[in-house]
Amino acid sequence: MFPNSPVDSGALNSLIFYLSVLGLILFVGTLLRLKVGIFKKYFIPASLIAGFIGLLLGPYSLNVLPAEMVATWGSLAGVLITIVFAPMLIGMTLGNSKEASKFAVPQVMYSYLGATLQIGIPLIIAGLILIPLFGVNQLFGTVIEIGWAGGHGTAGGMSEVFTTLGWGDGSSIALTSATLGLLIGIFGGMIIINIGVKKGYTSVIKDQSQLKTAKQADTSEKVASSYSSVNSNVVESFGFHAAIISIAILLGWVLQGLLSPIIPGLPLFPMAMIGGLIVNIILSKTKYFELIDRHTLQRIQGLALEFLIVGAVASISIPVVIEYAVPLLILTATSILVLVWYFFYVGPRMFEKDWFEHSIVNLGTLTGVIAVGLMLLRTVDPDMKTDAAAAYALRAPFFSPFLGGGLITALIPTLIVAYSSLIVGIGFLAISALILVLAYVFGIFRLNRRSVRQSVNKSA
């Protein structure tokens, strides 16, 4: 049940050296992010820049870094993603405000619709076209939702899942998909914003001359990003929170062991998140719940995520990407068309007011990361005059733990192995249709909006 042999000290020394080099590359990536204009303008994360530096120096390019080092970085992703997910539900409390819930419902339904479409359509395309014509793996259709909505962190973290289920190339393809999604979110989002302003769809910005790329300080004043909730004479606060995360991971490990006979290939990280929920429920019944500082947990998550992204991107297998280039481009083009329909057709019919602003923040998140979604929103609503940002924030606890890299995302590959890409794709497309029906029944989705311009005029 437990490992019965110690880890070789030489292997540990090698791991420390590999992590040190990874940290050096991240530092260089940070300097480039701070100094290079195009990186600053389009909010390219330092970890992504560092990952591409590692890829350039790796065995498939300049061959400066040894293959063993890069392979170790790639393997770390499966470990680090568990640290990212374990504290996700620890320290969280949900308000009881009915008004807040009602406020967030359209955003929740719109987000779920976008994610289920991003799962269902690619899986159907893979099942009907790509698998028969190109002989790709049954899991190929998962790389869109894993890479786009999940981002580079989820794409890298799923490497162990892909390997366990017999598709070791999956992580490289998912990471490439994540990079494409990030570019589509940034540049495609700006194109859509310009179209929206020109046609009068936006609520705040009324002229293209008012458009400015959302500014974000690259450095900030020295403010507290976490708080010490435990006296340092007792225990270092980061150590205390790391201990809580460790308990969540141990509980997740037990859950994984119990469920693995029923669900083969079940990854650890969603189980660690459920372990965190168990920890949260138990501690919330005690006075020690007040010792949890969400900001400290987020700092630990952020540390793991930064190193995860650098290592995962640096370990992308370029020959594998070239091999799958054509089917990946077909899947990407199809997903773009679905996203455009989702934005321009569903958006104005789902949101009664400020539909463009509510929709654009979701578009950025579904293709890239939260930062891209907020950047696009700040571009069309610089002073946050609409309710889009608040509604988007309220929807997070109801969406993030499940899709866009959450529990459901992690389980989809296992479902595909059991039932096939086509069957699972049809199932998620049916869920998308059900979401639209429910939204219509409850008066959230309105078919009588004959045009997006009518919706704009109504909300003005």
Side-chain angles (χ1 to χ4, degrees):
M1 188 174 183
F2 296 99
N4 53 16
S5 59
V7 178
D8 180 72
S9 60
L12 285 175
N13 286 332
S14 296
L15 179 61
I16 293 172
F17 175 69
Y18 294 165
L19 286 173
S20 299
V21 176
L22 198 65
L24 173 62
I25 294 174
L26 178 57
F27 179 76
V28 174
T30 303
L31 293 181
L32 291 174
R33 172 61 173 80
L34 291 170
K35 297 296 183 182
V36 179
I38 191 169
F39 295 152
K40 296 169 64 176
K41 182 177 181 180
Y42 293 108
F43 298 85
I44 307 300
S47 53
L48 185 59
I49 298 169
F52 280 108
I53 293 173
L55 187 64
L56 180 65
L57 298 175
Y60 300 111
S61 188
L62 299 179
N63 200 24
V64 174
L65 301 175
E68 182 183 352
M69 176 185 290
V70 175
T72 301
W73 291 347
S75 299
L76 282 172
V79 177
L80 294 174
I81 192 67
T82 303
I83 298 174
V84 173
F85 269 76
M88 190 171 286
L89 301 178
I90 300 176
M92 289 189 63
T93 55
L94 295 177
N96 296 319
S97 172
K98 292 183 178 179
E99 183 180 351
S101 300
K102 183 178 179 181
F103 188 52
V105 165
Q107 272 283 354
V108 171
M109 299 195 83
Y110 190 68
S111 298
Y112 268 91
L113 177 62
T116 52
L117 286 171
Q118 203 171 71
I119 295 168
I121 298 297
L123 289 181
I124 292 173
I125 295 297
L128 291 177
I129 300 173
L130 303 182
I131 294 172
L133 290 183
F134 297 94
V136 298
N137 190 279
Q138 283 281 342
L139 301 177
F140 187 82
T142 64
V143 300
I144 294 297
E145 198 262 347
I146 286 174
W148 289 23
H152 286 85
T154 302
M158 289 291 285
S159 60
E160 185 178 347
V161 177
F162 284 132
T163 301
T164 301
L165 296 177
W167 190 39
D169 295 342
S171 181
S172 290
I173 304 303
L175 286 163
T176 304
S177 175
T179 303
L180 291 173
L182 188 67
L183 296 175
I184 291 165
I186 294 170
F187 297 106
M190 292 305 298
I191 291 171
I192 287 176
I193 285 174
N194 277 276
I195 292 172
V197 173
K198 186 177 180 180
K199 291 186 174 292
Y201 299 157
T202 51
S203 299
V204 178
I205 301 295
K206 296 300 182 183
D207 187 270
Q208 286 177 303
S209 63
Q210 295 177 273
L211 282 178
K212 296 179 181 178
T213 302
K215 292 184 178 179
Q216 174 178 309
D218 289 328
T219 56
S220 62
E221 296 180 3
K222 293 182 178 180
V223 295
S225 61
S226 62
Y227 296 90
S228 179
S229 56
V230 187
N231 193 306
S232 59
N233 291 328
V234 177
V235 64
E236 165 58 41
S237 183
F238 265 71
F240 170 71
H241 288 82
I244 294 175
I245 293 173
S246 300
I247 295 170
I249 293 173
L250 284 172
L251 289 172
W253 180 75
V254 173
L255 290 172
Q256 184 192 39
L258 293 173
L259 294 175
S260 289
I262 304 170
I263 311 174
L266 181 67
L268 176 59
F269 69 87
M271 295 300 98
M273 183 176 69
I274 296 175
L277 177 61
I278 295 172
V279 170
N280 194 64
I281 292 172
I282 294 173
L283 288 180
S284 67
K285 307 297 183 182
T286 72
K287 61 182 180 180
Y288 301 110
F289 187 73
E290 297 179 359
L291 298 179
I292 298 174
D293 175 41
R294 284 286 301 165
H295 297 288
T296 301
L297 293 173
Q298 288 166 357
R299 299 289 73 75
I300 296 173
Q301 285 177 296
L303 173 65
L305 185 60
E306 296 292 347
F307 277 85
L308 188 163
I309 293 173
V310 180
V313 174
S315 63
I316 291 175
S317 175
I318 294 177
V320 169
V321 174
I322 294 172
E323 179 184 351
Y324 288 96
V326 174
L328 180 59
L329 289 175
I330 292 173
L331 210 58
T332 300
T334 305
S335 300
I336 290 172
L337 292 176
V338 172
L339 193 68
V340 170
W341 173 84
Y342 164 75
F343 183 90
F344 283 107
Y345 181 82
V346 180
R349 292 165 176 81
M350 187 72 81
F351 300 105
E352 189 170 4
K353 184 180 179 183
D354 306 324
W355 76 267
F356 193 94
E357 288 74 15
H358 281 277
S359 300
I360 199 68
V361 67
N362 274 283
L363 181 141
T365 306
L366 282 173
T367 53
V369 291
I370 293 174
V372 174
L374 294 176
M375 181 269 286
L376 295 175
L377 177 59
R378 288 290 297 270
T379 301
V380 293
D381 186 12
D383 298 317
M384 297 297 176
K385 293 181 179 179
T386 70
D387 296 330
Y392 176 77
L394 284 171
R395 129 269 189 241
F398 305 98
F399 177 82
S400 298
F402 307 105
L403 285 163
L407 179 62
I408 296 174
T409 299
L411 292 177
I412 289 170
T414 304
L415 291 174
I416 291 171
V417 170
Y419 300 105
S420 85
S421 176
L422 184 58
I423 296 299
V424 177
I426 292 172
F428 273 93
L429 189 60
I431 293 172
S432 300
L434 179 61
I435 292 171
L436 279 177
V437 170
L438 290 174
Y440 176 76
V441 169
F442 289 103
I444 297 170
F445 182 75
R446 301 166 179 83
L447 289 173
N448 60 350
R449 295 188 183 179
R450 297 179 183 175
S451 71
V452 288
R453 186 172 292 281
Q454 280 185 339
S455 176
V456 172
N457 292 338
K458 182 177 179 180
S459 64

